[in-house]
Amino acid sequence: MNLPIKAFSVLLLIFSLTCTDPKVEKNEKLKSFLWEKGIDINQYSSILVLTEESCPACSHSFASLLEKQIENKKSLLIISARGTLVDISMFLKAEAEENILYDWKLELKKLEIHNDLNAIFLDKQGAIDTIVAIRAKGLQSTLAYISNRLEE
């Protein structure tokens, strides 16, 4: 190989190693976060994240949806709320449930995997398939979509 082709090949290799697929990066961050908490992501088909950083109506509505999922062992509920703006007492009462993770230090937010309230649906390999953000606009249709996906 001549020198320009070698140089181009080396640059191409370096460039491909530094470029990371954002979806793969999110998967790795999420798996690492859960592994540190002793949670095997492969046992879940969805991860539902409750925060207090969205509109109050959104947080309250999503908390109600999550309450119905407390006994759904296929859904991991991550409570990244302290209960000041949204009632989390129903999750605290269900403390023994293995599918509830309390993120009091808001560590998940620091990983920048999600924004505010989210339903994260996983594929059969435990990788992120879909992230559904919950916003005030279209709230009811978004919650209906999430409910339907959780029933699958």
Side-chain angles (χ1 to χ4, degrees), residues 23-46:
K23 192 171 182 179
V24 171
E25 187 177 344
K26 284 183 179 185
N27 281 325
E28 294 308 313
K29 285 181 178 180
L30 183 60
K31 284 183 179 183
S32 177
F33 170 77
L34 294 175
W35 182 79
E36 288 174 8
K37 306 293 181 195
I39 296 172
D40 178 14
I41 195 171
N42 295 315
Q43 69 188 46
Y44 299 105
S45 60
S46 62

mmCIF file with all atom_site columns, all heavy atoms in Angstrom, residues 23-46:
data_model
loop_
_atom_site.group_PDB
_atom_site.id
_atom_site.type_symbol
_atom_site.label_atom_id
_atom_site.label_alt_id
_atom_site.label_comp_id
_atom_site.label_asym_id
_atom_site.label_entity_id
_atom_site.label_seq_id
_atom_site.pdbx_PDB_ins_code
_atom_site.Cartn_x
_atom_site.Cartn_y
_atom_site.Cartn_z
_atom_site.occupancy
_atom_site.B_iso_or_equiv
_atom_site.pdbx_formal_charge
_atom_site.auth_seq_id
_atom_site.auth_comp_id
_atom_site.auth_asym_id
_atom_site.auth_atom_id
_atom_site.pdbx_PDB_model_num
ATOM 1   N N   . LYS A 1 23 ? -27.606 5.600   20.198 1.00 0.00 ? 23 LYS A N   1
ATOM 2   C CA  . LYS A 1 23 ? -28.495 4.582   20.747 1.00 0.00 ? 23 LYS A CA  1
ATOM 3   C C   . LYS A 1 23 ? -27.697 3.515   21.500 1.00 0.00 ? 23 LYS A C   1
ATOM 4   O O   . LYS A 1 23 ? -28.077 3.097   22.593 1.00 0.00 ? 23 LYS A O   1
ATOM 5   C CB  . LYS A 1 23 ? -29.318 3.940   19.628 1.00 0.00 ? 23 LYS A CB  1
ATOM 6   C CG  . LYS A 1 23 ? -30.453 3.101   20.119 1.00 0.00 ? 23 LYS A CG  1
ATOM 7   C CD  . LYS A 1 23 ? -31.356 2.682   18.982 1.00 0.00 ? 23 LYS A CD  1
ATOM 8   C CE  . LYS A 1 23 ? -32.528 1.889   19.495 1.00 0.00 ? 23 LYS A CE  1
ATOM 9   N NZ  . LYS A 1 23 ? -33.422 1.485   18.434 1.00 0.00 ? 23 LYS A NZ  1
ATOM 10  N N   . VAL A 1 24 ? -26.557 3.108   20.937 1.00 0.00 ? 24 VAL A N   1
ATOM 11  C CA  . VAL A 1 24 ? -25.690 2.123   21.595 1.00 0.00 ? 24 VAL A CA  1
ATOM 12  C C   . VAL A 1 24 ? -25.137 2.714   22.882 1.00 0.00 ? 24 VAL A C   1
ATOM 13  O O   . VAL A 1 24 ? -25.105 2.051   23.920 1.00 0.00 ? 24 VAL A O   1
ATOM 14  C CB  . VAL A 1 24 ? -24.551 1.671   20.651 1.00 0.00 ? 24 VAL A CB  1
ATOM 15  C CG1 . VAL A 1 24 ? -23.526 0.831   21.388 1.00 0.00 ? 24 VAL A CG1 1
ATOM 16  C CG2 . VAL A 1 24 ? -25.115 0.927   19.452 1.00 0.00 ? 24 VAL A CG2 1
ATOM 17  N N   . GLU A 1 25 ? -24.750 3.987   22.825 1.00 0.00 ? 25 GLU A N   1
ATOM 18  C CA  . GLU A 1 25 ? -24.210 4.647   24.010 1.00 0.00 ? 25 GLU A CA  1
ATOM 19  C C   . GLU A 1 25 ? -25.262 4.713   25.124 1.00 0.00 ? 25 GLU A C   1
ATOM 20  O O   . GLU A 1 25 ? -24.960 4.446   26.287 1.00 0.00 ? 25 GLU A O   1
ATOM 21  C CB  . GLU A 1 25 ? -23.734 6.046   23.640 1.00 0.00 ? 25 GLU A CB  1
ATOM 22  C CG  . GLU A 1 25 ? -23.012 6.746   24.765 1.00 0.00 ? 25 GLU A CG  1
ATOM 23  C CD  . GLU A 1 25 ? -22.474 8.108   24.356 1.00 0.00 ? 25 GLU A CD  1
ATOM 24  O OE1 . GLU A 1 25 ? -22.381 8.393   23.150 1.00 0.00 ? 25 GLU A OE1 1
ATOM 25  O OE2 . GLU A 1 25 ? -22.166 8.885   25.267 1.00 0.00 ? 25 GLU A OE2 1
ATOM 26  N N   . LYS A 1 26 ? -26.498 5.053   24.779 1.00 0.00 ? 26 LYS A N   1
ATOM 27  C CA  . LYS A 1 26 ? -27.572 5.089   25.777 1.00 0.00 ? 26 LYS A CA  1
ATOM 28  C C   . LYS A 1 26 ? -27.805 3.715   26.370 1.00 0.00 ? 26 LYS A C   1
ATOM 29  O O   . LYS A 1 26 ? -28.008 3.575   27.580 1.00 0.00 ? 26 LYS A O   1
ATOM 30  C CB  . LYS A 1 26 ? -28.865 5.619   25.148 1.00 0.00 ? 26 LYS A CB  1
ATOM 31  C CG  . LYS A 1 26 ? -28.879 7.101   24.936 1.00 0.00 ? 26 LYS A CG  1
ATOM 32  C CD  . LYS A 1 26 ? -30.203 7.569   24.385 1.00 0.00 ? 26 LYS A CD  1
ATOM 33  C CE  . LYS A 1 26 ? -30.212 9.068   24.207 1.00 0.00 ? 26 LYS A CE  1
ATOM 34  N NZ  . LYS A 1 26 ? -31.506 9.573   23.785 1.00 0.00 ? 26 LYS A NZ  1
ATOM 35  N N   . ASN A 1 27 ? -27.787 2.682   25.531 1.00 0.00 ? 27 ASN A N   1
ATOM 36  C CA  . ASN A 1 27 ? -27.970 1.314   26.024 1.00 0.00 ? 27 ASN A CA  1
ATOM 37  C C   . ASN A 1 27 ? -26.902 0.963   27.040 1.00 0.00 ? 27 ASN A C   1
ATOM 38  O O   . ASN A 1 27 ? -27.194 0.402   28.097 1.00 0.00 ? 27 ASN A O   1
ATOM 39  C CB  . ASN A 1 27 ? -27.916 0.299   24.870 1.00 0.00 ? 27 ASN A CB  1
ATOM 40  C CG  . ASN A 1 27 ? -29.198 0.221   24.104 1.00 0.00 ? 27 ASN A CG  1
ATOM 41  O OD1 . ASN A 1 27 ? -30.282 0.346   24.665 1.00 0.00 ? 27 ASN A OD1 1
ATOM 42  N ND2 . ASN A 1 27 ? -29.092 0.023   22.813 1.00 0.00 ? 27 ASN A ND2 1
ATOM 43  N N   . GLU A 1 28 ? -25.661 1.276   26.714 1.00 0.00 ? 28 GLU A N   1
ATOM 44  C CA  . GLU A 1 28 ? -24.555 0.942   27.613 1.00 0.00 ? 28 GLU A CA  1
ATOM 45  C C   . GLU A 1 28 ? -24.637 1.718   28.920 1.00 0.00 ? 28 GLU A C   1
ATOM 46  O O   . GLU A 1 28 ? -24.392 1.168   29.992 1.00 0.00 ? 28 GLU A O   1
ATOM 47  C CB  . GLU A 1 28 ? -23.208 1.174   26.916 1.00 0.00 ? 28 GLU A CB  1
ATOM 48  C CG  . GLU A 1 28 ? -22.966 0.227   25.759 1.00 0.00 ? 28 GLU A CG  1
ATOM 49  C CD  . GLU A 1 28 ? -23.160 -1.240  26.109 1.00 0.00 ? 28 GLU A CD  1
ATOM 50  O OE1 . GLU A 1 28 ? -22.647 -1.691  27.151 1.00 0.00 ? 28 GLU A OE1 1
ATOM 51  O OE2 . GLU A 1 28 ? -23.852 -1.941  25.352 1.00 0.00 ? 28 GLU A OE2 1
ATOM 52  N N   . LYS A 1 29 ? -24.991 2.995   28.843 1.00 0.00 ? 29 LYS A N   1
ATOM 53  C CA  . LYS A 1 29 ? -25.142 3.793   30.057 1.00 0.00 ? 29 LYS A CA  1
ATOM 54  C C   . LYS A 1 29 ? -26.250 3.230   30.943 1.00 0.00 ? 29 LYS A C   1
ATOM 55  O O   . LYS A 1 29 ? -26.090 3.120   32.156 1.00 0.00 ? 29 LYS A O   1
ATOM 56  C CB  . LYS A 1 29 ? -25.466 5.250   29.708 1.00 0.00 ? 29 LYS A CB  1
ATOM 57  C CG  . LYS A 1 29 ? -24.304 6.057   29.205 1.00 0.00 ? 29 LYS A CG  1
ATOM 58  C CD  . LYS A 1 29 ? -24.779 7.477   28.923 1.00 0.00 ? 29 LYS A CD  1
ATOM 59  C CE  . LYS A 1 29 ? -23.691 8.384   28.452 1.00 0.00 ? 29 LYS A CE  1
ATOM 60  N NZ  . LYS A 1 29 ? -24.195 9.752   28.199 1.00 0.00 ? 29 LYS A NZ  1
ATOM 61  N N   . LEU A 1 30 ? -27.371 2.888   30.326 1.00 0.00 ? 30 LEU A N   1
ATOM 62  C CA  . LEU A 1 30 ? -28.506 2.367   31.080 1.00 0.00 ? 30 LEU A CA  1
ATOM 63  C C   . LEU A 1 30 ? -28.157 1.022   31.710 1.00 0.00 ? 30 LEU A C   1
ATOM 64  O O   . LEU A 1 30 ? -28.413 0.805   32.898 1.00 0.00 ? 30 LEU A O   1
ATOM 65  C CB  . LEU A 1 30 ? -29.737 2.234   30.176 1.00 0.00 ? 30 LEU A CB  1
ATOM 66  C CG  . LEU A 1 30 ? -31.018 1.766   30.840 1.00 0.00 ? 30 LEU A CG  1
ATOM 67  C CD1 . LEU A 1 30 ? -31.445 2.733   31.940 1.00 0.00 ? 30 LEU A CD1 1
ATOM 68  C CD2 . LEU A 1 30 ? -32.123 1.617   29.798 1.00 0.00 ? 30 LEU A CD2 1
ATOM 69  N N   . LYS A 1 31 ? -27.570 0.129   30.943 1.00 0.00 ? 31 LYS A N   1
ATOM 70  C CA  . LYS A 1 31 ? -27.185 -1.183  31.473 1.00 0.00 ? 31 LYS A CA  1
ATOM 71  C C   . LYS A 1 31 ? -26.189 -1.049  32.617 1.00 0.00 ? 31 LYS A C   1
ATOM 72  O O   . LYS A 1 31 ? -26.304 -1.722  33.633 1.00 0.00 ? 31 LYS A O   1
ATOM 73  C CB  . LYS A 1 31 ? -26.605 -2.064  30.364 1.00 0.00 ? 31 LYS A CB  1
ATOM 74  C CG  . LYS A 1 31 ? -27.649 -2.627  29.446 1.00 0.00 ? 31 LYS A CG  1
ATOM 75  C CD  . LYS A 1 31 ? -27.038 -3.555  28.419 1.00 0.00 ? 31 LYS A CD  1
ATOM 76  C CE  . LYS A 1 31 ? -28.126 -4.123  27.528 1.00 0.00 ? 31 LYS A CE  1
ATOM 77  N NZ  . LYS A 1 31 ? -27.605 -5.083  26.569 1.00 0.00 ? 31 LYS A NZ  1
ATOM 78  N N   . SER A 1 32 ? -25.223 -0.163  32.454 1.00 0.00 ? 32 SER A N   1
ATOM 79  C CA  . SER A 1 32 ? -24.219 0.052   33.490 1.00 0.00 ? 32 SER A CA  1
ATOM 80  C C   . SER A 1 32 ? -24.855 0.615   34.765 1.00 0.00 ? 32 SER A C   1
ATOM 81  O O   . SER A 1 32 ? -24.565 0.158   35.877 1.00 0.00 ? 32 SER A O   1
ATOM 82  C CB  . SER A 1 32 ? -23.142 1.005   32.970 1.00 0.00 ? 32 SER A CB  1
ATOM 83  O OG  . SER A 1 32 ? -22.200 1.282   33.960 1.00 0.00 ? 32 SER A OG  1
ATOM 84  N N   . PHE A 1 33 ? -25.735 1.603   34.601 1.00 0.00 ? 33 PHE A N   1
ATOM 85  C CA  . PHE A 1 33 ? -26.429 2.196   35.748 1.00 0.00 ? 33 PHE A CA  1
ATOM 86  C C   . PHE A 1 33 ? -27.210 1.134   36.516 1.00 0.00 ? 33 PHE A C   1
ATOM 87  O O   . PHE A 1 33 ? -27.117 1.047   37.745 1.00 0.00 ? 33 PHE A O   1
ATOM 88  C CB  . PHE A 1 33 ? -27.368 3.300   35.258 1.00 0.00 ? 33 PHE A CB  1
ATOM 89  C CG  . PHE A 1 33 ? -28.304 3.827   36.309 1.00 0.00 ? 33 PHE A CG  1
ATOM 90  C CD1 . PHE A 1 33 ? -27.853 4.698   37.282 1.00 0.00 ? 33 PHE A CD1 1
ATOM 91  C CD2 . PHE A 1 33 ? -29.645 3.457   36.322 1.00 0.00 ? 33 PHE A CD2 1
ATOM 92  C CE1 . PHE A 1 33 ? -28.721 5.191   38.258 1.00 0.00 ? 33 PHE A CE1 1
ATOM 93  C CE2 . PHE A 1 33 ? -30.504 3.947   37.285 1.00 0.00 ? 33 PHE A CE2 1
ATOM 94  C CZ  . PHE A 1 33 ? -30.052 4.805   38.257 1.00 0.00 ? 33 PHE A CZ  1
ATOM 95  N N   . LEU A 1 34 ? -27.965 0.315   35.798 1.00 0.00 ? 34 LEU A N   1
ATOM 96  C CA  . LEU A 1 34 ? -28.777 -0.713  36.448 1.00 0.00 ? 34 LEU A CA  1
ATOM 97  C C   . LEU A 1 34 ? -27.913 -1.821  37.042 1.00 0.00 ? 34 LEU A C   1
ATOM 98  O O   . LEU A 1 34 ? -28.205 -2.337  38.117 1.00 0.00 ? 34 LEU A O   1
ATOM 99  C CB  . LEU A 1 34 ? -29.803 -1.279  35.470 1.00 0.00 ? 34 LEU A CB  1
ATOM 100 C CG  . LEU A 1 34 ? -30.865 -0.266  35.020 1.00 0.00 ? 34 LEU A CG  1
ATOM 101 C CD1 . LEU A 1 34 ? -31.769 -0.873  33.962 1.00 0.00 ? 34 LEU A CD1 1
ATOM 102 C CD2 . LEU A 1 34 ? -31.671 0.244   36.195 1.00 0.00 ? 34 LEU A CD2 1
ATOM 103 N N   . TRP A 1 35 ? -26.838 -2.187  36.351 1.00 0.00 ? 35 TRP A N   1
ATOM 104 C CA  . TRP A 1 35 ? -25.939 -3.223  36.858 1.00 0.00 ? 35 TRP A CA  1
ATOM 105 C C   . TRP A 1 35 ? -25.339 -2.784  38.191 1.00 0.00 ? 35 TRP A C   1
ATOM 106 O O   . TRP A 1 35 ? -25.227 -3.580  39.126 1.00 0.00 ? 35 TRP A O   1
ATOM 107 C CB  . TRP A 1 35 ? -24.840 -3.505  35.833 1.00 0.00 ? 35 TRP A CB  1
ATOM 108 C CG  . TRP A 1 35 ? -23.915 -4.593  36.254 1.00 0.00 ? 35 TRP A CG  1
ATOM 109 C CD1 . TRP A 1 35 ? -24.128 -5.935  36.188 1.00 0.00 ? 35 TRP A CD1 1
ATOM 110 C CD2 . TRP A 1 35 ? -22.611 -4.427  36.827 1.00 0.00 ? 35 TRP A CD2 1
ATOM 111 N NE1 . TRP A 1 35 ? -23.045 -6.613  36.681 1.00 0.00 ? 35 TRP A NE1 1
ATOM 112 C CE2 . TRP A 1 35 ? -22.100 -5.704  37.086 1.00 0.00 ? 35 TRP A CE2 1
ATOM 113 C CE3 . TRP A 1 35 ? -21.833 -3.315  37.144 1.00 0.00 ? 35 TRP A CE3 1
ATOM 114 C CZ2 . TRP A 1 35 ? -20.848 -5.915  37.640 1.00 0.00 ? 35 TRP A CZ2 1
ATOM 115 C CZ3 . TRP A 1 35 ? -20.585 -3.520  37.702 1.00 0.00 ? 35 TRP A CZ3 1
ATOM 116 C CH2 . TRP A 1 35 ? -20.111 -4.805  37.943 1.00 0.00 ? 35 TRP A CH2 1
ATOM 117 N N   . GLU A 1 36 ? -24.961 -1.496  38.295 1.00 0.00 ? 36 GLU A N   1
ATOM 118 C CA  . GLU A 1 36 ? -24.420 -0.961  39.551 1.00 0.00 ? 36 GLU A CA  1
ATOM 119 C C   . GLU A 1 36 ? -25.443 -1.045  40.681 1.00 0.00 ? 36 GLU A C   1
ATOM 120 O O   . GLU A 1 36 ? -25.080 -1.116  41.848 1.00 0.00 ? 36 GLU A O   1
ATOM 121 C CB  . GLU A 1 36 ? -23.976 0.489   39.369 1.00 0.00 ? 36 GLU A CB  1
ATOM 122 C CG  . GLU A 1 36 ? -22.722 0.637   38.543 1.00 0.00 ? 36 GLU A CG  1
ATOM 123 C CD  . GLU A 1 36 ? -22.388 2.095   38.245 1.00 0.00 ? 36 GLU A CD  1
ATOM 124 O OE1 . GLU A 1 36 ? -23.051 3.005   38.799 1.00 0.00 ? 36 GLU A OE1 1
ATOM 125 O OE2 . GLU A 1 36 ? -21.464 2.317   37.450 1.00 0.00 ? 36 GLU A OE2 1
ATOM 126 N N   . LYS A 1 37 ? -26.723 -1.030  40.335 1.00 0.00 ? 37 LYS A N   1
ATOM 127 C CA  . LYS A 1 37 ? -27.795 -1.135  41.326 1.00 0.00 ? 37 LYS A CA  1
ATOM 128 C C   . LYS A 1 37 ? -28.197 -2.594  41.564 1.00 0.00 ? 37 LYS A C   1
ATOM 129 O O   . LYS A 1 37 ? -29.130 -2.863  42.321 1.00 0.00 ? 37 LYS A O   1
ATOM 130 C CB  . LYS A 1 37 ? -29.034 -0.350  40.876 1.00 0.00 ? 37 LYS A CB  1
ATOM 131 C CG  . LYS A 1 37 ? -28.772 1.095   40.538 1.00 0.00 ? 37 LYS A CG  1
ATOM 132 C CD  . LYS A 1 37 ? -28.390 1.891   41.749 1.00 0.00 ? 37 LYS A CD  1
ATOM 133 C CE  . LYS A 1 37 ? -28.157 3.339   41.379 1.00 0.00 ? 37 LYS A CE  1
ATOM 134 N NZ  . LYS A 1 37 ? -27.460 4.074   42.418 1.00 0.00 ? 37 LYS A NZ  1
ATOM 135 N N   . GLY A 1 38 ? -27.527 -3.523  40.886 1.00 0.00 ? 38 GLY A N   1
ATOM 136 C CA  . GLY A 1 38 ? -27.836 -4.942  41.058 1.00 0.00 ? 38 GLY A CA  1
ATOM 137 C C   . GLY A 1 38 ? -29.066 -5.395  40.292 1.00 0.00 ? 38 GLY A C   1
ATOM 138 O O   . GLY A 1 38 ? -29.717 -6.367  40.668 1.00 0.00 ? 38 GLY A O   1
ATOM 139 N N   . ILE A 1 39 ? -29.387 -4.684  39.210 1.00 0.00 ? 39 ILE A N   1
ATOM 140 C CA  . ILE A 1 39 ? -30.594 -4.992  38.434 1.00 0.00 ? 39 ILE A CA  1
ATOM 141 C C   . ILE A 1 39 ? -30.207 -5.531  37.064 1.00 0.00 ? 39 ILE A C   1
ATOM 142 O O   . ILE A 1 39 ? -29.389 -4.933  36.366 1.00 0.00 ? 39 ILE A O   1
ATOM 143 C CB  . ILE A 1 39 ? -31.466 -3.734  38.288 1.00 0.00 ? 39 ILE A CB  1
ATOM 144 C CG1 . ILE A 1 39 ? -31.965 -3.288  39.666 1.00 0.00 ? 39 ILE A CG1 1
ATOM 145 C CG2 . ILE A 1 39 ? -32.626 -3.980  37.341 1.00 0.00 ? 39 ILE A CG2 1
ATOM 146 C CD1 . ILE A 1 39 ? -32.667 -1.962  39.687 1.00 0.00 ? 39 ILE A CD1 1
ATOM 147 N N   . ASP A 1 40 ? -30.813 -6.649  36.702 1.00 0.00 ? 40 ASP A N   1
ATOM 148 C CA  . ASP A 1 40 ? -30.603 -7.250  35.384 1.00 0.00 ? 40 ASP A CA  1
ATOM 149 C C   . ASP A 1 40 ? -31.652 -6.699  34.430 1.00 0.00 ? 40 ASP A C   1
ATOM 150 O O   . ASP A 1 40 ? -32.835 -7.019  34.547 1.00 0.00 ? 40 ASP A O   1
ATOM 151 C CB  . ASP A 1 40 ? -30.709 -8.772  35.483 1.00 0.00 ? 40 ASP A CB  1
ATOM 152 C CG  . ASP A 1 40 ? -30.556 -9.460  34.143 1.00 0.00 ? 40 ASP A CG  1
ATOM 153 O OD1 . ASP A 1 40 ? -30.103 -8.819  33.165 1.00 0.00 ? 40 ASP A OD1 1
ATOM 154 O OD2 . ASP A 1 40 ? -30.881 -10.663 34.068 1.00 0.00 ? 40 ASP A OD2 1
ATOM 155 N N   . ILE A 1 41 ? -31.223 -5.889  33.489 1.00 0.00 ? 41 ILE A N   1
ATOM 156 C CA  . ILE A 1 41 ? -32.142 -5.231  32.548 1.00 0.00 ? 41 ILE A CA  1
ATOM 157 C C   . ILE A 1 41 ? -32.903 -6.243  31.701 1.00 0.00 ? 41 ILE A C   1
ATOM 158 O O   . ILE A 1 41 ? -34.011 -5.985  31.252 1.00 0.00 ? 41 ILE A O   1
ATOM 159 C CB  . ILE A 1 41 ? -31.366 -4.233  31.647 1.00 0.00 ? 41 ILE A CB  1
ATOM 160 C CG1 . ILE A 1 41 ? -32.334 -3.290  30.931 1.00 0.00 ? 41 ILE A CG1 1
ATOM 161 C CG2 . ILE A 1 41 ? -30.469 -4.954  30.662 1.00 0.00 ? 41 ILE A CG2 1
ATOM 162 C CD1 . ILE A 1 41 ? -31.669 -2.154  30.199 1.00 0.00 ? 41 ILE A CD1 1
ATOM 163 N N   . ASN A 1 42 ? -32.339 -7.425  31.501 1.00 0.00 ? 42 ASN A N   1
ATOM 164 C CA  . ASN A 1 42 ? -32.951 -8.425  30.624 1.00 0.00 ? 42 ASN A CA  1
ATOM 165 C C   . ASN A 1 42 ? -34.255 -8.999  31.165 1.00 0.00 ? 42 ASN A C   1
ATOM 166 O O   . ASN A 1 42 ? -34.983 -9.650  30.425 1.00 0.00 ? 42 ASN A O   1
ATOM 167 C CB  . ASN A 1 42 ? -31.965 -9.538  30.321 1.00 0.00 ? 42 ASN A CB  1
ATOM 168 C CG  . ASN A 1 42 ? -30.788 -9.023  29.518 1.00 0.00 ? 42 ASN A CG  1
ATOM 169 O OD1 . ASN A 1 42 ? -30.962 -8.285  28.557 1.00 0.00 ? 42 ASN A OD1 1
ATOM 170 N ND2 . ASN A 1 42 ? -29.588 -9.381  29.930 1.00 0.00 ? 42 ASN A ND2 1
ATOM 171 N N   . GLN A 1 43 ? -34.559 -8.786  32.423 1.00 0.00 ? 43 GLN A N   1
ATOM 172 C CA  . GLN A 1 43 ? -35.813 -9.310  32.971 1.00 0.00 ? 43 GLN A CA  1
ATOM 173 C C   . GLN A 1 43 ? -36.982 -8.357  32.772 1.00 0.00 ? 43 GLN A C   1
ATOM 174 O O   . GLN A 1 43 ? -38.108 -8.673  33.121 1.00 0.00 ? 43 GLN A O   1
ATOM 175 C CB  . GLN A 1 43 ? -35.648 -9.667  34.445 1.00 0.00 ? 43 GLN A CB  1
ATOM 176 C CG  . GLN A 1 43 ? -35.460 -8.474  35.371 1.00 0.00 ? 43 GLN A CG  1
ATOM 177 C CD  . GLN A 1 43 ? -35.106 -8.893  36.779 1.00 0.00 ? 43 GLN A CD  1
ATOM 178 O OE1 . GLN A 1 43 ? -34.266 -9.725  37.003 1.00 0.00 ? 43 GLN A OE1 1
ATOM 179 N NE2 . GLN A 1 43 ? -35.786 -8.296  37.743 1.00 0.00 ? 43 GLN A NE2 1
ATOM 180 N N   . TYR A 1 44 ? -36.722 -7.196  32.163 1.00 0.00 ? 44 TYR A N   1
ATOM 181 C CA  . TYR A 1 44 ? -37.764 -6.195  31.972 1.00 0.00 ? 44 TYR A CA  1
ATOM 182 C C   . TYR A 1 44 ? -38.018 -5.926  30.489 1.00 0.00 ? 44 TYR A C   1
ATOM 183 O O   . TYR A 1 44 ? -37.113 -6.015  29.670 1.00 0.00 ? 44 TYR A O   1
ATOM 184 C CB  . TYR A 1 44 ? -37.388 -4.886  32.671 1.00 0.00 ? 44 TYR A CB  1
ATOM 185 C CG  . TYR A 1 44 ? -37.234 -5.056  34.156 1.00 0.00 ? 44 TYR A CG  1
ATOM 186 C CD1 . TYR A 1 44 ? -35.979 -5.090  34.754 1.00 0.00 ? 44 TYR A CD1 1
ATOM 187 C CD2 . TYR A 1 44 ? -38.352 -5.217  34.965 1.00 0.00 ? 44 TYR A CD2 1
ATOM 188 C CE1 . TYR A 1 44 ? -35.840 -5.274  36.117 1.00 0.00 ? 44 TYR A CE1 1
ATOM 189 C CE2 . TYR A 1 44 ? -38.220 -5.398  36.329 1.00 0.00 ? 44 TYR A CE2 1
ATOM 190 C CZ  . TYR A 1 44 ? -36.962 -5.424  36.902 1.00 0.00 ? 44 TYR A CZ  1
ATOM 191 O OH  . TYR A 1 44 ? -36.826 -5.608  38.243 1.00 0.00 ? 44 TYR A OH  1
ATOM 192 N N   . SER A 1 45 ? -39.259 -5.546  30.202 1.00 0.00 ? 45 SER A N   1
ATOM 193 C CA  . SER A 1 45 ? -39.597 -5.133  28.836 1.00 0.00 ? 45 SER A CA  1
ATOM 194 C C   . SER A 1 45 ? -39.822 -3.624  28.763 1.00 0.00 ? 45 SER A C   1
ATOM 195 O O   . SER A 1 45 ? -39.903 -3.062  27.677 1.00 0.00 ? 45 SER A O   1
ATOM 196 C CB  . SER A 1 45 ? -40.843 -5.873  28.336 1.00 0.00 ? 45 SER A CB  1
ATOM 197 O OG  . SER A 1 45 ? -41.944 -5.589  29.172 1.00 0.00 ? 45 SER A OG  1
ATOM 198 N N   . SER A 1 46 ? -39.911 -2.986  29.935 1.00 0.00 ? 46 SER A N   1
ATOM 199 C CA  . SER A 1 46 ? -40.078 -1.529  29.950 1.00 0.00 ? 46 SER A CA  1
ATOM 200 C C   . SER A 1 46 ? -39.483 -0.949  31.231 1.00 0.00 ? 46 SER A C   1
ATOM 201 O O   . SER A 1 46 ? -39.395 -1.627  32.258 1.00 0.00 ? 46 SER A O   1
ATOM 202 C CB  . SER A 1 46 ? -41.554 -1.148  29.844 1.00 0.00 ? 46 SER A CB  1
ATOM 203 O OG  . SER A 1 46 ? -42.273 -1.641  30.954 1.00 0.00 ? 46 SER A OG  1
#
